[in-house]
PDB file of all heavy atoms in Angstrom:
ATOM      1  N   LEU A   1       0.867  -1.157   0.001  1.00  0.00           N
ATOM      2  CA  LEU A   1      -0.005   0.015  -0.004  1.00  0.00           C
ATOM      3  C   LEU A   1       0.868   1.242   0.009  1.00  0.00           C
ATOM      4  O   LEU A   1       1.763   1.372   0.841  1.00  0.00           O
ATOM      5  CB  LEU A   1      -0.896   0.024   1.203  1.00  0.00           C
ATOM      6  CG  LEU A   1      -1.888   1.181   1.336  1.00  0.00           C
ATOM      7  CD1 LEU A   1      -2.916   1.137   0.208  1.00  0.00           C
ATOM      8  CD2 LEU A   1      -2.584   1.167   2.699  1.00  0.00           C
ATOM      9  N   VAL A   2       0.674   2.136  -0.950  1.00  0.00           N
ATOM     10  CA  VAL A   2       1.384   3.391  -1.010  1.00  0.00           C
ATOM     11  C   VAL A   2       0.396   4.558  -1.010  1.00  0.00           C
ATOM     12  O   VAL A   2      -0.790   4.392  -1.403  1.00  0.00           O
ATOM     13  CB  VAL A   2       2.276   3.425  -2.282  1.00  0.00           C
ATOM     14  CG1 VAL A   2       3.286   2.273  -2.260  1.00  0.00           C
ATOM     15  CG2 VAL A   2       1.449   3.371  -3.569  1.00  0.00           C
ATOM     16  N   THR A   3       0.811   5.700  -0.628  1.00  0.00           N
ATOM     17  CA  THR A   3      -0.060   6.826  -0.444  1.00  0.00           C
ATOM     18  C   THR A   3      -0.713   7.298  -1.761  1.00  0.00           C
ATOM     19  O   THR A   3      -1.782   7.917  -1.749  1.00  0.00           O
ATOM     20  CB  THR A   3       0.632   8.000   0.178  1.00  0.00           C
ATOM     21  OG1 THR A   3       1.834   8.331  -0.512  1.00  0.00           O
ATOM     22  CG2 THR A   3       1.038   7.641   1.645  1.00  0.00           C
ATOM     23  N   ASN A   4      -0.026   7.089  -2.863  1.00  0.00           N
ATOM     24  CA  ASN A   4      -0.559   7.521  -4.141  1.00  0.00           C
ATOM     25  C   ASN A   4      -0.909   6.338  -5.038  1.00  0.00           C
ATOM     26  O   ASN A   4      -0.725   6.406  -6.274  1.00  0.00           O
ATOM     27  CB  ASN A   4       0.434   8.442  -4.863  1.00  0.00           C
ATOM     28  CG  ASN A   4       1.712   7.726  -5.255  1.00  0.00           C
ATOM     29  OD1 ASN A   4       2.056   6.741  -4.605  1.00  0.00           O
ATOM     30  ND2 ASN A   4       2.433   8.204  -6.221  1.00  0.00           N
ATOM     31  N   ILE A   5      -1.411   5.317  -4.467  1.00  0.00           N
ATOM     32  CA  ILE A   5      -1.582   4.028  -5.234  1.00  0.00           C
ATOM     33  C   ILE A   5      -2.603   4.203  -6.348  1.00  0.00           C
ATOM     34  O   ILE A   5      -2.549   3.510  -7.318  1.00  0.00           O
ATOM     35  CB  ILE A   5      -2.031   2.891  -4.277  1.00  0.00           C
ATOM     36  CG1 ILE A   5      -1.861   1.551  -4.950  1.00  0.00           C
ATOM     37  CG2 ILE A   5      -3.449   3.099  -3.708  1.00  0.00           C
ATOM     38  CD1 ILE A   5      -1.838   0.384  -4.056  1.00  0.00           C
ATOM     39  N   SER A   6      -3.584   5.081  -6.230  1.00  0.00           N
ATOM     40  CA  SER A   6      -4.602   5.207  -7.266  1.00  0.00           C
ATOM     41  C   SER A   6      -4.011   5.878  -8.560  1.00  0.00           C
ATOM     42  O   SER A   6      -4.545   5.659  -9.659  1.00  0.00           O
ATOM     43  CB  SER A   6      -5.733   6.046  -6.784  1.00  0.00           C
ATOM     44  OG  SER A   6      -5.326   7.388  -6.563  1.00  0.00           O
ATOM     45  N   SER A   7      -2.930   6.640  -8.441  1.00  0.00           N
ATOM     46  CA  SER A   7      -2.215   7.241  -9.567  1.00  0.00           C
ATOM     47  C   SER A   7      -3.150   8.063 -10.438  1.00  0.00           C
ATOM     48  O   SER A   7      -2.860   8.261 -11.641  1.00  0.00           O
ATOM     49  CB  SER A   7      -1.506   6.163 -10.430  1.00  0.00           C
ATOM     50  OG  SER A   7      -0.613   5.404  -9.685  1.00  0.00           O
ATOM     51  N   GLY A   8      -4.267   8.513  -9.882  1.00  0.00           N
ATOM     52  CA  GLY A   8      -5.191   9.349 -10.652  1.00  0.00           C
ATOM     53  C   GLY A   8      -6.019   8.595 -11.689  1.00  0.00           C
ATOM     54  O   GLY A   8      -6.638   9.172 -12.583  1.00  0.00           O
ATOM     55  N   TYR A   9      -6.029   7.279 -11.632  1.00  0.00           N
ATOM     56  CA  TYR A   9      -6.744   6.453 -12.633  1.00  0.00           C
ATOM     57  C   TYR A   9      -8.239   6.718 -12.583  1.00  0.00           C
ATOM     58  O   TYR A   9      -8.913   6.739 -13.619  1.00  0.00           O
ATOM     59  CB  TYR A   9      -6.553   4.961 -12.369  1.00  0.00           C
ATOM     60  CG  TYR A   9      -5.112   4.469 -12.638  1.00  0.00           C
ATOM     61  CD1 TYR A   9      -4.533   3.537 -11.815  1.00  0.00           C
ATOM     62  CD2 TYR A   9      -4.408   5.034 -13.694  1.00  0.00           C
ATOM     63  CE1 TYR A   9      -3.202   3.130 -12.116  1.00  0.00           C
ATOM     64  CE2 TYR A   9      -3.073   4.581 -13.972  1.00  0.00           C
ATOM     65  CZ  TYR A   9      -2.514   3.687 -13.174  1.00  0.00           C
ATOM     66  OH  TYR A   9      -1.282   3.204 -13.410  1.00  0.00           O
ATOM     67  N   GLY A  10      -8.757   7.032 -11.407  1.00  0.00           N
ATOM     68  CA  GLY A  10     -10.220   7.361 -11.325  1.00  0.00           C
ATOM     69  C   GLY A  10     -10.569   8.624 -12.077  1.00  0.00           C
ATOM     70  O   GLY A  10     -11.526   8.637 -12.859  1.00  0.00           O
ATOM     71  N   PHE A  11      -9.745   9.670 -11.949  1.00  0.00           N
ATOM     72  CA  PHE A  11     -10.033  10.924 -12.638  1.00  0.00           C
ATOM     73  C   PHE A  11      -9.811  10.735 -14.165  1.00  0.00           C
ATOM     74  O   PHE A  11     -10.517  11.328 -14.981  1.00  0.00           O
ATOM     75  CB  PHE A  11      -9.121  12.008 -12.099  1.00  0.00           C
ATOM     76  CG  PHE A  11      -9.431  12.388 -10.677  1.00  0.00           C
ATOM     77  CD1 PHE A  11      -8.438  12.523  -9.717  1.00  0.00           C
ATOM     78  CD2 PHE A  11     -10.766  12.594 -10.285  1.00  0.00           C
ATOM     79  CE1 PHE A  11      -8.730  12.826  -8.382  1.00  0.00           C
ATOM     80  CE2 PHE A  11     -11.044  12.933  -8.951  1.00  0.00           C
ATOM     81  CZ  PHE A  11     -10.032  13.029  -8.019  1.00  0.00           C
ATOM     82  N   LEU A  12      -8.767   9.961 -14.502  1.00  0.00           N
ATOM     83  CA  LEU A  12      -8.552   9.710 -15.965  1.00  0.00           C
ATOM     84  C   LEU A  12      -9.747   8.933 -16.502  1.00  0.00           C
ATOM     85  O   LEU A  12     -10.112   9.133 -17.704  1.00  0.00           O
ATOM     86  CB  LEU A  12      -7.288   8.945 -16.157  1.00  0.00           C
ATOM     87  CG  LEU A  12      -5.932   9.704 -16.221  1.00  0.00           C
ATOM     88  CD1 LEU A  12      -4.798   8.786 -16.414  1.00  0.00           C
ATOM     89  CD2 LEU A  12      -6.031  10.703 -17.383  1.00  0.00           C
ATOM     90  N   GLY A  13     -10.306   8.018 -15.702  1.00  0.00           N
ATOM     91  CA  GLY A  13     -11.452   7.289 -16.154  1.00  0.00           C
ATOM     92  C   GLY A  13     -12.609   8.193 -16.510  1.00  0.00           C
ATOM     93  O   GLY A  13     -13.358   7.869 -17.484  1.00  0.00           O
ATOM     94  N   ILE A  14     -12.815   9.280 -15.769  1.00  0.00           N
ATOM     95  CA  ILE A  14     -13.898  10.214 -16.059  1.00  0.00           C
ATOM     96  C   ILE A  14     -13.680  10.843 -17.449  1.00  0.00           C
ATOM     97  O   ILE A  14     -14.594  10.956 -18.218  1.00  0.00           O
ATOM     98  CB  ILE A  14     -13.944  11.319 -14.957  1.00  0.00           C
ATOM     99  CG1 ILE A  14     -14.326  10.721 -13.630  1.00  0.00           C
ATOM    100  CG2 ILE A  14     -14.925  12.396 -15.402  1.00  0.00           C
ATOM    101  CD1 ILE A  14     -14.273  11.682 -12.453  1.00  0.00           C
ATOM    102  N   LEU A  15     -12.401  11.217 -17.732  1.00  0.00           N
ATOM    103  CA  LEU A  15     -12.093  11.803 -19.061  1.00  0.00           C
ATOM    104  C   LEU A  15     -12.390  10.787 -20.163  1.00  0.00           C
ATOM    105  O   LEU A  15     -12.927  11.124 -21.230  1.00  0.00           O
ATOM    106  CB  LEU A  15     -10.642  12.268 -19.107  1.00  0.00           C
ATOM    107  CG  LEU A  15     -10.190  13.293 -18.094  1.00  0.00           C
ATOM    108  CD1 LEU A  15      -8.778  13.694 -18.331  1.00  0.00           C
ATOM    109  CD2 LEU A  15     -11.153  14.511 -18.123  1.00  0.00           C
ATOM    110  N   ILE A  16     -12.042   9.512 -19.905  1.00  0.00           N
ATOM    111  CA  ILE A  16     -12.228   8.458 -20.894  1.00  0.00           C
ATOM    112  C   ILE A  16     -13.686   8.257 -21.201  1.00  0.00           C
ATOM    113  O   ILE A  16     -14.129   8.164 -22.354  1.00  0.00           O
ATOM    114  CB  ILE A  16     -11.566   7.149 -20.437  1.00  0.00           C
ATOM    115  CG1 ILE A  16     -10.036   7.331 -20.478  1.00  0.00           C
ATOM    116  CG2 ILE A  16     -11.998   5.985 -21.333  1.00  0.00           C
ATOM    117  CD1 ILE A  16      -9.307   6.139 -19.770  1.00  0.00           C
ATOM    118  N   VAL A  17     -14.495   8.252 -20.143  1.00  0.00           N
ATOM    119  CA  VAL A  17     -15.954   8.015 -20.363  1.00  0.00           C
ATOM    120  C   VAL A  17     -16.546   9.217 -21.124  1.00  0.00           C
ATOM    121  O   VAL A  17     -17.435   9.009 -21.992  1.00  0.00           O
ATOM    122  CB  VAL A  17     -16.705   7.913 -18.971  1.00  0.00           C
ATOM    123  CG1 VAL A  17     -18.180   7.859 -19.169  1.00  0.00           C
ATOM    124  CG2 VAL A  17     -16.200   6.602 -18.319  1.00  0.00           C
ATOM    125  N   LEU A  18     -16.123  10.436 -20.830  1.00  0.00           N
ATOM    126  CA  LEU A  18     -16.568  11.583 -21.592  1.00  0.00           C
ATOM    127  C   LEU A  18     -16.201  11.458 -23.060  1.00  0.00           C
ATOM    128  O   LEU A  18     -17.036  11.756 -23.984  1.00  0.00           O
ATOM    129  CB  LEU A  18     -16.000  12.900 -21.013  1.00  0.00           C
ATOM    130  CG  LEU A  18     -16.530  13.304 -19.650  1.00  0.00           C
ATOM    131  CD1 LEU A  18     -15.700  14.531 -19.192  1.00  0.00           C
ATOM    132  CD2 LEU A  18     -17.987  13.655 -19.719  1.00  0.00           C
ATOM    133  N   LEU A  19     -15.039  10.993 -23.352  1.00  0.00           N
ATOM    134  CA  LEU A  19     -14.560  10.849 -24.746  1.00  0.00           C
ATOM    135  C   LEU A  19     -15.365   9.762 -25.476  1.00  0.00           C
ATOM    136  O   LEU A  19     -15.506   9.824 -26.665  1.00  0.00           O
ATOM    137  CB  LEU A  19     -13.082  10.556 -24.777  1.00  0.00           C
ATOM    138  CG  LEU A  19     -12.144  11.743 -24.518  1.00  0.00           C
ATOM    139  CD1 LEU A  19     -10.703  11.320 -24.562  1.00  0.00           C
ATOM    140  CD2 LEU A  19     -12.348  12.851 -25.598  1.00  0.00           C
ATOM    141  N   THR A  20     -15.788   8.723 -24.755  1.00  0.00           N
ATOM    142  CA  THR A  20     -16.514   7.669 -25.407  1.00  0.00           C
ATOM    143  C   THR A  20     -17.905   8.093 -25.841  1.00  0.00           C
ATOM    144  O   THR A  20     -18.583   7.424 -26.587  1.00  0.00           O
ATOM    145  CB  THR A  20     -16.663   6.464 -24.511  1.00  0.00           C
ATOM    146  OG1 THR A  20     -17.512   6.784 -23.364  1.00  0.00           O
ATOM    147  CG2 THR A  20     -15.331   5.897 -24.043  1.00  0.00           C
ATOM    148  N   GLY A  21     -18.403   9.258 -25.292  1.00  0.00           N
ATOM    149  CA  GLY A  21     -19.754   9.636 -25.517  1.00  0.00           C
ATOM    150  C   GLY A  21     -20.688   8.676 -24.860  1.00  0.00           C
ATOM    151  O   GLY A  21     -21.828   8.446 -25.367  1.00  0.00           O
ATOM    152  N   PHE A  22     -20.231   8.061 -23.787  1.00  0.00           N
ATOM    153  CA  PHE A  22     -21.067   7.075 -22.956  1.00  0.00           C
ATOM    154  C   PHE A  22     -21.365   5.816 -23.819  1.00  0.00           C
ATOM    155  O   PHE A  22     -22.434   5.172 -23.589  1.00  0.00           O
ATOM    156  CB  PHE A  22     -22.337   7.725 -22.455  1.00  0.00           C
ATOM    157  CG  PHE A  22     -22.112   9.012 -21.799  1.00  0.00           C
ATOM    158  CD1 PHE A  22     -22.592  10.232 -22.332  1.00  0.00           C
ATOM    159  CD2 PHE A  22     -21.390   9.089 -20.602  1.00  0.00           C
ATOM    160  CE1 PHE A  22     -22.349  11.412 -21.727  1.00  0.00           C
ATOM    161  CE2 PHE A  22     -21.171  10.321 -19.959  1.00  0.00           C
ATOM    162  CZ  PHE A  22     -21.674  11.451 -20.534  1.00  0.00           C
ATOM    163  N   ARG A  23     -20.460   5.435 -24.699  1.00  0.00           N
ATOM    164  CA  ARG A  23     -20.589   4.174 -25.452  1.00  0.00           C
ATOM    165  C   ARG A  23     -19.588   3.183 -24.957  1.00  0.00           C
ATOM    166  O   ARG A  23     -18.381   3.391 -25.042  1.00  0.00           O
ATOM    167  CB  ARG A  23     -20.399   4.506 -26.944  1.00  0.00           C
ATOM    168  CG  ARG A  23     -21.464   5.366 -27.583  1.00  0.00           C
ATOM    169  CD  ARG A  23     -21.368   5.433 -29.048  1.00  0.00           C
ATOM    170  NE  ARG A  23     -20.140   6.189 -29.476  1.00  0.00           N
ATOM    171  CZ  ARG A  23     -20.159   7.526 -29.664  1.00  0.00           C
ATOM    172  NH1 ARG A  23     -21.222   8.228 -29.466  1.00  0.00           N
ATOM    173  NH2 ARG A  23     -19.022   8.102 -30.052  1.00  0.00           N
ATOM    174  N   GLY A  24     -20.125   2.047 -24.466  1.00  0.00           N
ATOM    175  CA  GLY A  24     -19.259   1.011 -23.878  1.00  0.00           C
ATOM    176  C   GLY A  24     -18.258   0.415 -24.825  1.00  0.00           C
ATOM    177  O   GLY A  24     -17.153  -0.024 -24.415  1.00  0.00           O
ATOM    178  N   ALA A  25     -18.589   0.364 -26.099  1.00  0.00           N
ATOM    179  CA  ALA A  25     -17.686  -0.286 -27.076  1.00  0.00           C
ATOM    180  C   ALA A  25     -16.378   0.487 -27.242  1.00  0.00           C
ATOM    181  O   ALA A  25     -15.387  -0.086 -27.739  1.00  0.00           O
ATOM    182  CB  ALA A  25     -18.435  -0.373 -28.427  1.00  0.00           C
ATOM    183  N   LEU A  26     -16.409   1.768 -26.840  1.00  0.00           N
ATOM    184  CA  LEU A  26     -15.182   2.650 -27.059  1.00  0.00           C
ATOM    185  C   LEU A  26     -14.292   2.692 -25.804  1.00  0.00           C
ATOM    186  O   LEU A  26     -13.206   3.287 -25.813  1.00  0.00           O
ATOM    187  CB  LEU A  26     -15.587   4.007 -27.435  1.00  0.00           C
ATOM    188  CG  LEU A  26     -16.359   4.176 -28.761  1.00  0.00           C
ATOM    189  CD1 LEU A  26     -16.655   5.620 -29.055  1.00  0.00           C
ATOM    190  CD2 LEU A  26     -15.504   3.606 -29.913  1.00  0.00           C
TER     191      LEU A  26
END
């Protein structure tokens, strides 16, 4: 366990979902 273990993946995931236009295939 490290203090920055998430590495911002959650916030990057938000950007990815926005770019997909809410389409799961992308």
